[in-house]
Amino acid sequence: DAKTTQPTSMDCAEGRAANLPCNHSTISGNEYVYWYRQIHSQGPQYIIHGLKNNETNEMASLIITEDRKSSTLILPHATLRDTAVYYCIGEYSGGSNYKLTFGKGTLLTVNP
Amino acid sequence: DTGVSQDPRHKITKRGQNVTFRCDPISEHNRLYWYRQTLGQGPEFLTYFQNEAQLEKSRLLSDRFSAERPKGSFSTLEIQRTEQGDSAMYLCASSLGGAYNEQFFGPGTRLTVL
């Protein structure tokens, strides 16, 4: 499992883009980068994942550096409901792998 | 609502009592996971089932803990002789398996041991 490093907390203004960084310098070639978020008192929610290429879905965009040592999750137009703890996880997928190894994540606070 | 349900949502018990939690995964998901989360920490993996087979247990899962998934459907997590240190949120997740590990989490069961 790749060790990930995230800032403890970040603030963002409502309607602006939220850019959440993650360092995963030890990630191996077959490990994906996953992002989950956890809104207070709820279970974690999958956001997006990627291997090498940048990815976009209806929730967010994931930008992975060419050397794969870091990534950025982008919420293009943050709303108050995006206030949550965001977890960046480096994890091998496939074969017999199954578990997610969560760190402490980044608490994103979206302010009105 | 992710489609994963857990029951009960809250449980308060006295030290030394046994407790059992239930998780109902998304019906077509063959993988089921249990995690534990304490205040200020991310979820920690406890155990994993593929269908009815329990394929791994974390060292966090002491011999007071037991999990089952009969017939590969719902799962139960039992804690015997609860201790105050067992107080936590217990989360269940399920997934289809395959190459991508998108797990769908339930709302959790919050256990308080007095």
Side-chain angles (χ1 to χ4, degrees):
Chain A
D1 305 344
K3 177 177 169 56
T4 60
T5 305
Q6 299 178 253
T8 302
S9 62
M10 294 182 63
D11 286 327
C12 177
E14 188 179 18
R16 305 297 294 268
N19 297 282
L20 292 94
C22 178
N23 287 321
H24 33 77
S25 58
T26 61
I27 198 168
S28 63
N30 58 4
E31 286 184 313
Y32 286 79
V33 178
Y34 288 88
W35 284 84
Y36 280 74
R37 73 179 182 183
Q38 188 171 24
I39 296 170
H40 184 60
S41 297
Q42 297 182 21
Q45 175 192 22
Y46 166 84
I47 301 172
I48 198 168
H49 74 279
L51 185 61
K52 295 179 182 178
N53 300 322
N54 299 336
E55 303 288 344
T56 296
N57 62 20
E58 65 278 4
M59 289 183 68
S61 295
L62 175 60
I63 308 299
I64 303 174
T65 59
E66 192 170 346
D67 62 9
R68 300 205 337 117
K69 292 186 177 181
S70 65
S71 62
T72 301
L73 178 75
I74 301 171
L75 307 178
H77 305 287
T79 70
L80 298 179
R81 289 180 295 180
D82 291 322
T83 292
V85 177
Y86 287 77
Y87 298 100
C88 168
I89 301 166
E91 203 79 40
Y92 171 72
S93 283
S96 61
N97 189 58
Y98 32 78
K99 63 181 184 256
L100 295 171
T101 305
F102 291 83
K104 292 187 178 182
T106 296
L107 172 60
L108 174 69
T109 302
V110 180
N111 300 306
Chain B
D1 184 0
T2 62
V4 179
S5 61
Q6 293 187 245
D7 183 67
R9 295 291 308 276
H10 304 273
K11 179 71 177 178
I12 299 174
T13 191
K14 293 182 179 179
R15 189 176 52 187
Q17 297 295 305
N18 299 342
V19 294
T20 300
F21 310 140
R22 177 181 171 121
C23 170
D24 286 273
I26 295 172
S27 58
E28 61 266 30
H29 286 184
N30 59 2
R31 293 184 178 180
L32 187 147
Y33 316 79
W34 285 97
Y35 292 83
R36 182 177 71 183
Q37 185 173 26
T38 54
L39 200 60
Q41 305 296 317
E44 296 173 293
F45 171 79
L46 291 178
T47 191
Y48 152 74
F49 290 85
Q50 179 143 336
N51 299 312
E52 65 275 11
Q54 187 175 17
L55 297 187
E56 181 169 335
K57 295 190 292 185
S58 163
R59 58 180 171 79
L60 294 175
L61 213 66
S62 75
D63 56 7
R64 296 185 297 106
F65 288 69
S66 62
E68 294 182 342
R69 192 184 181 195
K71 303 179 183 178
S73 56
F74 71 92
S75 176
T76 58
L77 177 68
E78 181 183 16
I79 309 174
Q80 295 183 326
R81 306 180 303 281
T82 52
E83 302 173 356
Q84 288 185 324
D86 297 330
S87 295
M89 175 75 83
Y90 290 84
L91 293 159
C92 174
S94 68
S95 73
L96 268 175
Y100 304 128
N101 202 7
E102 180 179 352
Q103 296 185 15
F104 294 79
F105 283 80
T109 294
R110 179 163 297 283
L111 173 66
T112 302
V113 181
L114 302 176

